[in-house]
Amino acid sequence: MDWDKQESSCPWVRLLCAAALSPAVAQQGEQQQLALEPLALAPLPAYAACGRTCFTASALQTYLHCQRQYYYQQVLAVPELEQTVAGEQAHELPASVTGSIVHKALELYNGYNAEAVFAIALEEFAPGAAATQAKSMFDAYIVSDLYKALPKKQKRELEFVQPLQQELAAEGVIDLLAFDEDDNMIIVDYKTGTPPEPDEVKLGYAYQLALYKDAAEKLYPGKRVVRAELHFLQNMSVWQLPLDKSYLQEAIELCEEISGKGEEDDFACICNESCAYCHYAYLCPQKNKE
């Protein structure tokens, strides 16, 4: 294929090595040098050609927050660039690492040996780091009334891939699925980020729990989810999915909307104060206009 004649709106290109590397046999004693074949520049495949049809709840939240960020993260899969934080937070771990440590520690925790459990999680994601914020959230949560009130019969880190309709599917990991005395199910997802306002309904959270509820009830036929909630570990607050409204259909329609898009310009750039902390600010043309 003549790549010189190919056009792409994608700002990134993939470097493809030639099929073989030929040795340049310029022998000098026992040494040899390798000469590389010229590199070919190939555009990344178009989004529509990728056939992406499986969505995670976090990906849908990213799309609702900024469609362009979704495009960079989920379609192009370009590397994130963690923003530098000044001041007293400069020595804290990235938020994603803090979340991973807390989630892993809560997955392993069985009611005792909290210090040892946290040490294992820390060693996996940030060996040698202090992780004071993660430690503080973990310690506070496991002694909270919120945690103690959970039924003891539990499944943790329950992975699923759930068909939605036609070629669309959702995938995810339910942090905790608990079963009460009547064998009804309670879904809990841990959040280490900033809690929403008390009466605020974030569609991303609603879609996440609606997808989790649908998956759990299909994984366990005959059982029903009576509560699906987010536990915000920064302040031990709870956000519950309203069960009197079907957010599942809205989530499916959002997946259909995304799957129908192809080029970068199809994904709107939402500019707001959070752009300063976006991991893709270095790439976003809208941000670079400022």
Side-chain angles (χ1 to χ4, degrees), residues 82-267:
E82 193 84 36
Q83 297 298 305
T84 302
V85 179
E88 61 183 21
Q89 294 182 328
H91 300 296
E92 288 289 349
L93 292 171
S96 58
V97 178
T98 295
S100 295
I101 294 170
V102 173
H103 277 74
K104 187 64 177 182
L106 289 172
E107 176 192 354
L108 298 175
Y109 181 63
N110 55 5
Y112 57 93
N113 290 336
E115 294 295 325
V117 163
F118 187 84
I120 293 172
L122 182 62
E123 181 64 24
E124 179 172 343
F125 294 102
T132 54
Q133 188 179 25
K135 184 68 164 60
S136 175
M137 283 191 283
F138 172 71
D139 287 345
Y141 184 60
I142 61 176
V143 298
S144 68
D145 293 337
L146 188 60
Y147 182 79
K148 292 178 180 179
L150 293 171
K152 302 305 180 187
K153 184 181 177 181
Q154 303 174 353
K155 289 187 178 295
R156 303 180 185 183
E157 297 298 306
L158 185 63
E159 298 183 9
F160 68 88
V161 178
Q162 178 64 39
L164 298 175
Q165 62 181 37
Q166 296 179 346
E167 297 181 352
L168 299 180
E171 61 179 340
V173 180
I174 300 174
D175 290 341
L176 186 143
L177 183 63
F179 299 82
D180 66 16
E181 62 275 8
D182 296 320
D183 227 17
N184 294 317
M185 296 183 290
I186 299 168
I187 292 172
V188 174
D189 191 78
Y190 313 124
K191 296 296 184 186
T192 55
T194 304
E197 295 299 322
D199 297 327
E200 183 180 7
V201 176
K202 285 197 172 183
L203 285 179
Y205 293 155
Y207 294 165
Q208 176 186 7
L209 291 179
L211 290 168
Y212 285 10
K213 177 179 180 293
D214 182 59
E217 291 179 340
K218 288 178 179 174
L219 286 169
Y220 295 94
K223 302 183 189 299
R224 65 189 184 98
V225 173
V226 293
R227 278 186 6 235
E229 54 193 33
L230 306 176
H231 289 187
F232 288 89
L233 275 55
Q234 284 194 19
N235 64 357
M236 301 304 150
S237 62
V238 178
W239 189 88
Q240 285 192 2
L241 174 70
L243 296 180
D244 58 348
K245 179 178 178 180
S246 176
Y247 287 99
L248 179 61
Q249 185 57 39
E250 291 184 21
I252 293 173
E253 290 171 0
L254 187 65
C255 293
E256 291 176 330
E257 175 185 319
I258 298 171
S259 67
K261 294 188 174 184
E263 302 298 329
E264 180 174 0
D265 289 344
D266 296 334
F267 295 82

